[in-house]
Amino acid sequence: AQSVTQLGSHVSVSEGALVLLRCNYSSSVPPYLFWYVQYPNQGLQLLLKYTTGATLVKGINGFEAEFKKSETSFHLTKPSAHMSDAAEYFCAVRGVNDYKLSFGAGTTVTVRA
Amino acid sequence: EAQVTQNPRYLITVTGKKLTVTCSQNMNHEYMSWYRQDPGLGLRQIYYSMNVEVTDKGDVPEGYKVSRKEKRNFPLILESPSPNQTSLYFCAIRQKSTDTQYFGPGTRLTVL
């Protein structure tokens, strides 16, 4: 079974500052890991994913995440926040042969001008 | 990219009145699923379907039914809705080529 813990339900950053969203997972098998973003009143959009290979994954809108097996983490970062990054972000995990996604509780990001 | 549509997008109903939320996709993807999103809980899987006539329970199936009579449609049925089913519902498909799930726009359901 897989599960995800997102540290911090709300994160507030200044425009231009680093965005860091934390995600830790537990999994009995090598996992696939995902970050999704949900803008207000919209569905979920895939930001990036890790399956195999390079542990530093680049996604859309300048986001990236690093898979660290020793720390069971998959933290999401963006060097410079933009007002348009205000949204809710979800980390998710699944097994290789199990298509069910297990989601974290989500982190809401607000960006201060 | 895969396209998933849901109807209705918003629904207010009363306890016990049967309702169906439709989900359709445009590219014959085999795997479809339903999730509900609740504050502080993230998304939880209700039901999924691996293919036509093949469905199975997710983590929170109580009070819901699904059917998969044709590949492109996967309706979610609430036979007797209750207030604790007030939630935001998402249908998702798995795109085989990228092994990635894509989500519909969501249906916000309120049961009074």
Side-chain angles (χ1 to χ4, degrees):
Chain A
Q2 295 87 29
S3 67
V4 171
T5 301
Q6 290 183 240
L7 295 173
S9 58
H10 289 87
V11 168
S12 179
V13 299
S14 298
E15 194 172 17
L18 171 72
V19 179
L20 169 60
L21 304 182
R22 299 179 188 275
C23 172
N24 288 90
Y25 69 90
S26 66
S27 176
S28 55
V29 297
Y32 286 1
L33 292 154
F34 304 81
W35 277 99
Y36 285 86
V37 60
Q38 184 179 31
Y39 298 104
N41 299 314
Q42 294 189 28
L44 276 77
Q45 180 180 1
L46 179 69
L47 269 180
L48 49 79
K49 67 177 183 181
Y50 170 80
T51 54
T52 58
T55 56
L56 182 62
V57 180
K58 294 189 186 300
I60 62 171
N61 301 340
F63 284 93
E64 64 182 35
E66 187 170 12
F67 170 60
K68 292 188 176 180
K69 186 177 179 181
S70 61
E71 298 177 9
T72 61
S73 69
F74 191 57
H75 302 331
L76 181 71
T77 60
K78 181 174 180 177
S80 176
H82 192 271
M83 297 299 285
S84 61
D85 295 325
E88 188 163 19
Y89 294 79
F90 293 95
C91 182
V93 64
R94 52 161 272 216
V96 172
N97 296 313
D98 177 3
Y99 302 149
K100 183 188 83 172
L101 289 168
S102 296
F103 284 84
T107 298
T108 300
V109 172
T110 57
V111 182
R112 305 185 303 272
Chain B
E1 188 176 292
Q3 196 154 13
V4 183
T5 58
Q6 295 179 227
N7 281 295
R9 294 289 313 280
Y10 301 90
L11 179 60
I12 301 174
T13 190
V14 296
T15 298
K17 186 176 180 183
K18 180 180 178 180
L19 66 93
T20 299
V21 183
T22 64
C23 172
S24 63
Q25 47 130 330
N26 64 340
M27 293 194 65
N28 264 347
H29 298 291
E30 292 174 349
Y31 183 89
M32 299 182 75
S33 64
W34 277 102
Y35 292 82
R36 61 177 288 173
Q37 180 184 356
D38 300 289
L41 297 177
L43 282 80
R44 295 174 292 167
Q45 191 182 59
I46 304 170
Y47 268 95
Y48 66 95
S49 170
M50 297 293 283
N51 212 327
V52 175
E53 302 293 1
V54 181
T55 63
D56 208 346
K57 297 176 181 178
D59 293 327
V60 288
E62 296 77 21
Y64 304 94
K65 284 174 56 177
V66 292
S67 70
R68 189 91 183 271
K69 292 185 170 57
E70 49 187 339
K71 192 168 270 191
R72 66 174 304 213
N73 294 319
F74 188 45
L76 179 70
I77 303 155
L78 285 72
E79 295 269 2
S80 183
S82 62
N84 64 11
Q85 293 178 297
T86 292
S87 188
L88 181 57
Y89 291 87
F90 288 101
C91 180
I93 60 91
R94 172 183 169 264
Q95 186 176 65
K96 205 172 186 178
S97 60
T98 58
D99 198 5
T100 298
Q101 290 193 35
Y102 293 94
F103 288 79
T107 294
R108 187 167 292 280
L109 172 66
T110 301
V111 183
L112 302 174

